[in-house]
Amino acid sequence: MKSHTAYMAFETTERRELIRITEEVQAAIDEAGIAEGMALVSAMHITAGVWVNDDEPGLHEDVLEWLDK
C-alpha cells in the first residue's frame, strides 16, 4: 500500500470564506504517483472545515448566508 502526506496552508481575507482546493489536492496526488485509491482531506484547525460539494456560486452564497443566521 502506498501513502503520501501533504500539508497545505491557506490564508483567507474574510471572516468566512470558501476556498476551492481541488487543484492543490490533485497536485499532491499526482506528486505522490498514486493512480487509484482514496484521498483523505482533513482540516487540522478547529476554525476550518472541509466541505465536499458542487463548486456552484449560488450554493456558496446560500451557505454563507446560512452561516450568518
Side-chain angles (χ1 to χ4, degrees), residues 20 22 50-56 59-60 63:
R20 178 186 166 99
T22 304
V50 176
W51 178 42
V52 179
N53 211 320
D54 294 326
D55 187 21
E56 208 274 58
L59 185 58
H60 297 178
V63 168

Side-chain angles (χ1 to χ4, degrees), residues 12-28:
T12 61
T13 58
E14 302 294 325
R15 182 167 184 244
R16 292 189 179 104
E17 194 169 337
L18 302 175
I19 301 173
R20 178 186 166 99
I21 63 170
T22 304
E23 290 77 14
E24 288 85 348
V25 172
Q26 185 63 58

Side-chain angles (χ1 to χ4, degrees), residues 2 6 8-9 19 37 43 48 54-55 60 65 68-69:
K2 189 177 219 180
M8 300 175 192
I19 301 173
D54 294 326
D55 187 21
H60 297 178
E65 181 181 328
D68 284 334
K69 292 179 181 180

Side-chain angles (χ1 to χ4, degrees), residues 6 25 31 36 38 42-43 45 58:
V25 172
E31 177 184 311
E36 63 180 47
M38 295 176 25
S42 177
H45 196 280

